[in-house]
């Protein structure tokens, strides 16, 4: 039996299209419905989401314990890596109080949950103001804190991932702390050691809610099944890869076999301490082109990569002034991220130059014909139509260069 305390939200995304009713708590409860004997969800919901929440519970066999609020929270994304627009009620709901043998508690933006459990997994779920587990009076006989890198840095005021996860465990009086670190996998700190488990490559990447799935799977394997923390985190990483690739819930029952079934390959950085350099090749002559360049640069830098962008780092100018600077950066690049739509001659040249140098290229292209892409495909470039997936494949290529 597992008890989940977390939000249920409307979620919409423009590209790729997504229009679902999940949120951290709803997604975790659905993910666990095939793994746990009994799942209950304590959450907030407004009149506009009441029917959706009832359908979620009846469809997946989740016991629902709703606390009313004026309106259900809504998240709107432009793409899978964009900062969402969040619509929430102006008044928070009454605090939720619950107890159980195994509890998964998420942070809320529309209220709070005070929990008491034997084994509790806590995911703070805040990129600006994550709260310590016990600050609201919550208690746990054994506590596991699962946080992403940004949350961990805010909670510990540290930057080095190993120091972050160690301090996260000690400051929380937790038996284990897990630091989710995107394509770098996750760090697991216990009283004895700090170990890393890998993330896995997938054919497609849907990141919205991936952290919820990781926390849910870890709560099941560590909290309910009482597996050692590292083994539980490995299975949680596989579960996350399944969700990111398929956008499908609930999770398959036999996650232990999932790696072989889906040909999942762990990501293994060649030099973990070095920041890789991405060369961002793209036209930047129109507003729409400059928007794509700016967005790609921001999300790549947000994944701990260095980015050289001719638009940002050189700008417009005479050929004799700008080209030597661009080529010098290309020579140093670990990978090239190329925006191909429009077949700009400068971008196509940069792709050919990189391939002649043996530099990996990930090409983001939505609207060109297979015939137009023949040389790009034939020279070994990775071609991807989905923006988010193209970013992740660039990160993987850079890490393993």
């Amino acid at each position: 039996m597992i008890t989940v305390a977390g939000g249920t939200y409307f979620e919409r995304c423009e590209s790729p299209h997504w229009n679902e009713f999940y949120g951290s708590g709803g997604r975790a409860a659905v993910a666990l419905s095939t793994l746990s004997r009994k799942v209950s969800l304590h959450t907030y919901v407004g009149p506009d989401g009441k029917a959706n929440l009832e359908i979620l519970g009846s469809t997946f066999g989740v016991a629902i314990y709703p606390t009313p609020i004026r309106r259900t929270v809504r998240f709107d994304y432009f793409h899978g890596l964009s900062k969402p627009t969040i619509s929430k009620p102006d008044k928070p709901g009454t605090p939720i109080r619950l107890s159980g043998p195994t509890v998964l508690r998420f942070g809320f933006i529309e209220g709070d949950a005070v929990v008491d459990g034997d084994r509790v997994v806590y995911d703070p779920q805040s990129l600006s103001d994550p709260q310590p587990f016990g600050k609201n009076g919550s208690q746990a006989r054994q506590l596991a804190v699962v946080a992403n890198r940004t949350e961990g840095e805010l909670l510990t005021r540290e930057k080095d991932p190993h120091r972050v996860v160690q301090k996260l465990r000690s400051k929380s009086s937790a038996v284990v702390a897990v630091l989710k670190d995107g394509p770098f996998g996750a760090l697991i700190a216990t009283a004895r050691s700090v170990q890393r488990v890998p993330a896995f490559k997938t054919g497609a990447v849907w990141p919205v809610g991936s952290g919820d799935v990781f926390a849910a799977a870890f709560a099941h394997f560590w909290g309910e099944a009482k597996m050692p923390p590292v083994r539980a985190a490995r299975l949680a990483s596989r579960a996350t890869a399944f969700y990111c690739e398929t956008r499908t819930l609930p999770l398959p029952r036999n996650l232990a076999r999932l790696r072989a079934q889906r040909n999942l390959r762990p990501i293994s950085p060649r030099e973990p301490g070095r920041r890789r350099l991405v060369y961002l090749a793209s036209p930047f002559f129109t507003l729409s082109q400059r928007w794509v360049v700016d967005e790609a640069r921001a999300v790549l830098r947000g994944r701990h990569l260095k980015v050289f962008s001719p638009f940002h780092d050189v700008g417009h100018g005479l050929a004799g002034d700008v080209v030597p600077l661009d080529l010098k950066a290309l020579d140093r690049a670990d990978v090239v991220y190329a925006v191909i739509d429009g077949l700009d001659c400068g971008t196509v040249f940069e792709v050919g130059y990189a391939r002649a140098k043996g530099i990996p290229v990930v090409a983001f292209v939505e609207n060109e014909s297979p015939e137009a892409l023949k040389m790009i495909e034939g020279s070994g470039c990775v071609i991807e139509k989905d923006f988010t997936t193209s970013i992740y494949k660039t990160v993987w290529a850079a890490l393993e260069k």
Side-chain angles (χ1 to χ4, degrees):
M1 176 180 178
I2 188 165
T3 303
V4 179
T8 45
Y9 310 144
F10 290 105
E11 300 172 347
R12 294 185 177 89
C13 183
E14 179 65 29
S15 180
H17 178 70
W18 178 261
N19 188 5
E20 299 290 343
F21 184 81
Y22 275 129
S24 52
R27 182 178 286 104
V30 171
L32 290 166
S33 62
T34 49
L35 303 180
S36 180
R37 180 173 54 85
K38 183 179 179 182
V39 180
S40 60
L41 172 62
H42 296 250
T43 190
Y44 295 96
V45 69
D48 52 341
K50 185 177 179 182
N52 300 75
L53 184 58
E54 291 172 351
I55 291 171
L56 183 148
S58 61
T59 301
F60 297 100
V62 175
I64 304 294
Y65 297 90
T67 296
I69 51 177
R70 292 182 180 179
R71 62 177 179 179
T72 306
V73 175
R74 296 172 182 266
F75 278 65
D76 287 283
Y77 300 84
F78 189 74
H79 58 76
L81 293 172
S82 62
K83 184 178 180 180
T85 299
I86 304 173
S87 303
K88 59 183 179 180
D90 52 7
K91 182 179 178 181
T94 304
I96 296 170
R97 297 181 180 275
L98 61 97
S99 61
T102 306
V103 177
L104 170 59
R105 174 193 158 197
F106 290 101
F108 287 92
I109 62 173
E110 72 278 34
D112 199 9
V114 181
V115 308
D116 186 347
D118 295 328
R119 285 198 168 204
V120 179
V121 174
Y122 173 53
D123 186 336
Q125 289 276 313
S126 174
L127 293 180
S128 59
D129 188 27
Q131 296 298 305
F133 170 74
K135 186 175 181 179
N136 69 353
S138 290
Q139 300 181 63
R141 258 57 73 197
Q142 294 187 74
L143 173 65
V145 177
V146 177
N148 63 36
R149 187 163 175 173
T150 300
E151 293 162 345
E153 290 176 356
L154 289 171
L155 284 167
T156 63
R157 301 184 183 276
E158 299 283 356
K159 288 293 183 181
D160 177 76
H162 280 75
R163 290 183 59 84
V164 169
V165 74
Q166 289 172 319
K167 197 169 180 178
L168 191 62
R169 188 193 69 81
S170 61
K171 284 190 66 174
S172 305
S173 299
V175 297
V176 58
V178 180
L179 188 69
K180 299 176 292 185
D181 201 9
F184 296 92
L187 286 172
I188 297 87
T190 64
R192 295 184 176 181
S193 67
V194 175
Q195 298 184 54
R196 185 180 293 276
V197 300
F200 292 92
K201 292 182 183 179
T202 54
V205 181
W206 172 246
V208 174
S210 58
D212 308 333
V213 173
F214 184 100
F218 184 82
H220 168 70
F221 290 113
W222 175 80
E224 285 192 293
K226 295 181 171 55
M227 290 183 182
V230 173
R231 185 181 177 195
R234 286 183 182 275
L235 289 172
S237 186
R238 294 182 193 179
T240 304
F242 170 82
Y243 170 76
C244 286
E245 183 168 57
T246 66
R247 298 203 286 177
T248 299
L249 293 175
L251 294 170
R253 283 186 172 87
N254 197 342
L255 282 168
R257 296 181 181 176
L258 188 62
R259 178 176 171 181
Q261 290 173 343
R262 303 201 68 84
N263 193 30
L264 297 176
R265 291 183 295 154
I267 301 164
S268 303
R270 296 281 176 89
E271 300 171 55
R274 184 173 71 86
R275 290 184 68 193
R276 288 3 184 233
L277 175 64
V278 178
Y279 185 98
L280 178 49
S282 174
F284 46 87
F285 307 110
T286 66
L287 178 62
S288 60
Q289 291 171 344
R290 290 192 289 273
W291 185 91
V292 172
V293 172
D294 202 59
E295 193 75 358
R297 179 175 179 261
V299 295
L300 286 166
R301 292 177 69 181
R303 273 130 200 91
H304 307 288
L305 298 172
K306 293 187 292 184
V307 180
F308 179 90
S309 164
F311 169 56
H312 294 89
D313 298 316
V314 178
H316 297 278
L318 298 175
D321 296 327
V322 302
V323 172
L325 297 175
D326 291 346
L327 293 181
K328 183 179 179 180
L330 263 173
D331 288 334
R332 295 186 292 111
D334 293 293
V335 63
V336 170
Y337 181 83
V339 181
I340 297 298
D341 282 328
L343 299 175
D344 167 64
C345 60
T347 303
V348 173
F349 172 85
E350 289 165 325
V351 169
Y353 184 92
R355 293 307 298 135
K357 292 276 188 176
I359 301 169
V361 174
V362 177
F364 171 53
V365 54
E366 294 182 289
N367 296 311
E368 299 298 340
S369 68
E371 183 66 26
L373 299 174
K374 187 176 291 185
M375 286 296 291
I376 293 173
E377 179 183 5
S379 61
C381 300
V382 174
I383 299 175
E384 184 54 58
K385 291 185 176 182
D386 175 64
F387 177 73
T388 298
T389 302
S390 71
I391 292 294
Y392 272 86
K393 289 187 175 180
T394 302
V395 175
W396 300 338
L399 292 181
E400 297 188 326
K401 177 67 164 56

